[in-house]
Amino acid sequence: MVRSSDVRKTPTPGEWSQSLAPSGIGDRLHAFAAEIFPICRSITGNGVRETLSHIERIIPLERTEVATGTPVLDWAVPKEWTIRDAWIKNAAGERVVDFRACSLHVLNYSTPIRTRMSLQELKKNIFTLPEEPDLIPYRTSYYQERWGFCMTHNALQTLPEGEYEVCVDADLAPGSLSYAEHVHVGERDEEVLLQAHICHPSLANDNCSGIALLAHLAAAMHGLGTKYTYRFLFAPGTIGAITWLSRNYETSRRIKHGIVMSCVGDAGGPTYKRTWRGNSMIDRVMAHVLTHETLTANIVDFFPYGYDERQYNSPGFRLDVGLFQRSQFATFPEYHTSADNLDFIKPAHLEASMRMAAQAIEVLECDARYASTAPQGEPQLGRRGLYSAIGGDKDGYAKNMAMLWVMNMADGRHSLLDIAERAKLPFATVAGMAEALKESGLLVPA
Ligand code: ZN
């Protein structure tokens, strides 16, 4: 297992965000998304491996290959798809549809074919979006073997009657499914699972953005001391998570909190989809972070459709794993089309998403219970220099209120997150004041 355990320092409350999501990181995330955008990924095949190689330039990975046909939970690992080229040529021999121009043009996981046919016949294997005639749809056919192409409806309309030559130069054959992990070792065996799916071809928000965020978050964690162990999992959607779970039951028992990340680069949301349990720690953490960071947080209840949170939350696992996105999947017109491109995701949104992920980690890392050493009546804070320490501070009022709330609720039973929720103050403000109060001797760990 690849483990980065050469731990150096633990950020104090308020420092995590800057440590894990420094300002300017959005440009790097966007550049990385642009790097992996052209690769034609699928649930299996070299597109996935190539993507993992790009991630490996940022963080070490442990890769796993699982052979086609291997039983995984109620499924089996599918065949490996190798795509080399795909095109439709007109009578003059010109490519009127060209995979080299956009990986969405081939039906993802298409069987190979090379033949000639009339336009009429060809149309049976072409997918378009008549209601969005300038966009190429993203379509897959994983579990029913067939061939096909995707193109804009307008381009299809311009094709004259006649004979066409079609070619999908691909193999669909026994091989393996690839996934990869990076583990940041903390003080505890208890784990936080962070996962991104790596099976979509040239789609920027869904999910080059999630891959970029997770890889850079793992890199930023290098050298930080954490309580939890963090497992970063890069796996194809559905079948990848199922394959990982089928081989990691013991590990899964150590997962205490988790977040699936996808579509984290657009302007919408942010959206958090709760775990099946609905009131787990990660649900509270994400709701707190998103509502304090933005005025537009969309917190939705669990439903058994979406990304891999549905595998983790299935009855045989019931892991507390939620889903973090900007716009919720399938609710934006660019979703699963060629409009989900590199212009659709912006460095500023990627950076804000990474900051929210960093803040969630901060809450998980810094949440604690304290007991007041002067619980009877209000302690005299001025005598201890606690008020003057924050004089002239623009956040002075919030810090004063945080201090009063912490002293009021430091009964050994309430955690800093409990206090932040009750006080309606950002966690970092509350946790930062708790640090100061601890140093003054007014608080002791409960
Ligand atoms: Zn998708």
Side-chain angles (χ1 to χ4, degrees):
M1 181 54 59
V2 175
R3 285 165 181 264
S4 44
S5 49
D6 51 333
V7 160
R8 289 193 293 272
K9 78 183 238 301
T10 300
T12 58
E15 283 180 357
W16 283 86
S17 190
Q18 187 56 28
S19 295
L20 293 177
S23 63
I25 191 78
D27 289 321
R28 274 162 49 203
L29 298 189
H30 196 277
F32 185 81
E35 205 177 295
I36 60 172
F37 179 77
I39 302 170
C40 185
R41 283 164 288 270
S42 185
I43 48 173
T44 55
N46 279 332
V48 174
R49 293 189 196 101
E50 204 187 318
T51 301
L52 295 177
S53 297
H54 283 266
I55 299 170
E56 274 173 334
R57 292 188 202 158
I58 301 175
I59 49 169
L61 290 178
E62 176 167 306
R63 298 193 189 208
T64 302
E65 298 279 336
V66 184
T68 299
T70 305
V72 288
L73 305 183
D74 195 46
W75 302 54
V77 171
K79 291 175 184 170
E80 183 173 327
W81 189 55
T82 304
I83 178 77
R84 288 174 291 271
D85 199 0
W87 42 260
I88 300 172
K89 285 181 182 173
N90 62 17
E94 298 157 341
R95 290 189 180 216
V96 293
V97 172
D98 188 355
F99 168 76
R100 293 178 306 191
C102 177
S103 76
L104 299 181
H105 275 312
V106 68
L107 173 69
N108 201 277
Y109 215 66
S110 171
T111 53
I113 188 162
R114 180 145 193 184
T115 188
R116 289 174 183 278
M117 62 180 64
S118 67
L119 181 64
Q120 205 74 347
E121 275 301 298
L122 178 57
K123 277 183 173 172
K124 293 178 189 163
N125 290 283
I126 290 186
F127 300 90
T128 67
L129 289 170
E131 66 282 9
E132 293 281 359
D134 289 320
L135 304 183
I136 308 166
Y138 159 57
R139 289 287 155 77
T140 66
S141 187
Y142 297 141
Y143 301 104
Q144 183 194 357
E145 291 197 359
R146 60 169 301 174
W147 66 272
F149 288 88
C150 302
M151 62 191 294
T152 72
H153 197 68
N154 283 341
L156 179 63
Q157 299 299 95
T158 65
L159 295 183
E161 291 297 330
E163 197 181 59
Y164 289 83
E165 186 181 5
V166 301
C167 171
V168 176
D169 181 9
D171 298 322
L172 198 51
S176 59
L177 176 146
S178 323
Y179 66 79
E181 293 160 271
H182 172 89
V183 175
H184 174 91
V185 176
E187 289 165 26
R188 304 179 186 167
D189 285 342
E190 292 177 334
E191 294 196 359
V192 177
L193 175 69
L194 300 168
Q195 191 233 309
H197 66 85
I198 54 168
C199 53
H200 285 34
S202 303
L203 297 166
N205 203 32
D206 183 16
N207 192 30
C208 294
S209 68
I211 299 168
L213 194 161
L214 225 58
H216 286 81
L217 191 60
M221 219 173 242
H222 184 74
L224 296 188
T226 57
K227 275 190 221 166
Y228 286 105
T229 290
Y230 289 79
R231 182 175 300 272
F232 297 83
L233 173 60
F234 301 89
T238 307
I239 190 67
I242 284 171
T243 302
W244 185 85
L245 285 167
S246 77
R247 300 163 59 88
N248 289 281
Y249 185 78
E250 289 307 316
T251 302
S252 80
R253 296 297 91 192
R254 297 200 297 269
I255 294 171
K256 297 301 167 202
H257 321 285
I259 310 172
V260 171
M261 300 207 198
S262 76
C263 304
V264 289
D266 70 291
T271 303
Y272 174 72
K273 176 183 160 186
R274 292 187 181 99
T275 65
W276 178 84
R277 229 180 293 280
N279 61 350
S280 60
M281 177 70 177
I282 195 67
D283 295 331
R284 291 177 57 200
V285 169
M286 290 301 284
H288 179 82
V289 166
L290 268 56
T291 49
H292 278 278
E293 182 71 9
T294 72
L295 298 171
T296 54
N298 177 31
I299 312 294
V300 299
D301 279 332
F302 179 82
F303 52 95
Y305 185 67
Y307 292 89
D308 288 323
E309 68 282 0
R310 63 199 218 239
Q311 311 307 334
Y312 303 121
N313 282 275
S314 61
F317 291 98
R318 287 287 194 250
L319 303 179
D320 287 339
V321 179
L323 171 66
F324 175 45
Q325 310 196 287
R326 303 301 306 238
S327 292
Q328 191 173 356
F329 69 92
T331 63
F332 50 97
E334 295 83 357
Y335 178 74
H336 282 189
T337 75
S338 53
D340 183 358
N341 58 31
L342 292 167
D343 292 331
F344 182 54
I345 61 170
K346 301 279 188 252
H349 307 319
L350 290 163
E351 189 163 321
S353 298
M354 185 137 166
R355 194 164 55 239
M356 288 183 265
Q359 288 172 358
I361 290 171
E362 175 170 72
V363 181
L364 291 174
E365 287 294 320
C366 301
D367 196 30
R369 287 183 170 77
Y370 291 102
S372 169
T373 57
Q376 293 175 323
E378 231 175 53
Q380 197 183 355
L381 298 167
R383 171 161 67 83
R384 294 175 171 89
L386 286 161
Y387 281 121
S388 59
I390 52 180
D393 187 332
K394 70 177 166 53
D395 299 324
Y397 178 74
K399 287 182 178 173
N400 273 341
M401 286 312 296
M403 186 160 58
L404 296 172
W405 272 111
V406 170
M407 289 316 300
N408 180 272
M409 290 182 72
D411 53 12
R413 289 181 293 122
H414 292 94
S415 73
L416 295 178
L417 180 59
D418 292 333
I419 299 170
E421 285 176 341
R422 177 102 184 235
K424 298 185 172 62
L425 288 168
F427 178 86
T429 306
V430 169
M433 285 319 299
E435 281 295 305
L437 291 163
K438 195 169 69 176
E439 276 164 33
S440 78
L442 281 170
L443 290 183
V444 289

